[in-house]
Amino acid sequence: MHGTEAPSPWVCRWTPLIRPAGHVLDLACGGGRHMQWLASHGHRVLGVDRSPEALAVAVAFGPTLQADIENGPWPLAGQHFDAVVVTNYLWRPLWPQILESLTPGGVLICETFAQGNETVGRPSRRDFLLAPGELLEVASRGGLRVVAYEDGFLDAPARFVQRMAAVREAPAQDPVRWPLV
């Protein structure tokens, strides 16, 4: 079952961007590895996944919602979050709902597979692989400020990834000091 391994170092690195005790959505949460990490850092986390088996594990770390977000309606219409975490998952038609669900000051932490991954394993279909710079385009369309972005290759296991931490800036008098960790 996916989502029971250690939390992504990328998610761990950028968790400090999330406001204290923030309400966080872990989309396609699997067994809740990021739910556990975020809850242990004082955040209120909602995990969404389509797998009842995965959610049976994830519920130990916070509330969960079983939903087929690819074939059904967006189950969180009108709800807003201080952060949305999405790892190892890509369904492009959801970008508008994901972006709309961020509060002012909200953080999007993303990490998923990129083109090139078809040469080393799965996923290998282009539908599930980000094109070069695609996350930057998503952030731009959504009016987000990119704090960190990487696009490259990781070992152990071998994979091509693209990852981003971006914020929906709130109106402020002074520039926000987004910590680079």
Side-chain angles (χ1 to χ4, degrees):
M1 169 188 336
H2 78 94
T4 56
E5 61 275 12
S8 159
W10 186 257
V11 173
C12 297
R13 179 178 178 188
W14 297 108
T15 296
L17 293 179
I18 305 169
R19 69 176 47 102
H23 189 206
V24 180
L25 171 61
D26 185 355
L27 194 60
C29 68
R33 66 185 177 139
H34 295 120
M35 289 180 68
Q36 181 178 18
W37 169 262
L38 293 159
S40 74
H41 286 78
H43 299 293
R44 296 168 291 125
V45 188
L46 170 64
V48 175
D49 204 285
R50 70 178 178 187
S51 167
E53 296 81 14
L55 293 175
V57 176
V59 73
F61 313 117
T64 60
L65 174 64
Q66 182 183 354
D68 183 349
I69 56 178
E70 294 175 13
N71 297 305
W74 177 245
L76 303 167
Q79 294 188 46
H80 294 94
F81 299 89
D82 299 311
V84 177
V85 173
V86 186
T87 63
N88 299 335
Y89 179 76
L90 177 62
W91 188 249
R92 289 175 180 90
L94 287 179
W95 283 125
Q97 290 87 348
I98 292 168
L99 296 169
E100 186 178 303
S101 71
L102 284 173
T103 61
V107 181
L108 175 62
I109 301 173
C110 258
E111 178 179 33
T112 197
F113 300 98
Q115 289 177 6
N117 203 68
E118 70 278 6
T119 66
V120 295
R122 294 176 55 168
S124 58
R125 287 184 39 208
R126 282 215 183 262
D127 291 348
F128 304 116
L129 302 174
L130 291 164
E134 187 171 348
L135 283 180
L136 294 173
E137 292 173 18
V138 167
S140 178
R141 283 194 316 264
L144 303 183
R145 177 179 178 166
V146 175
V147 175
Y149 171 80
E150 294 181 346
D151 185 355
F153 183 78
L154 296 170
D155 285 313
R159 64 206 184 278
F160 287 81
V161 299
Q162 209 173 118
R163 47 198 189 181
M164 177 179 73
V167 295
R168 177 172 308 292
E169 292 189 293
Q173 297 293 335
D174 295 321
V176 176
R177 296 179 181 191
W178 301 111
L180 300 178
V181 292

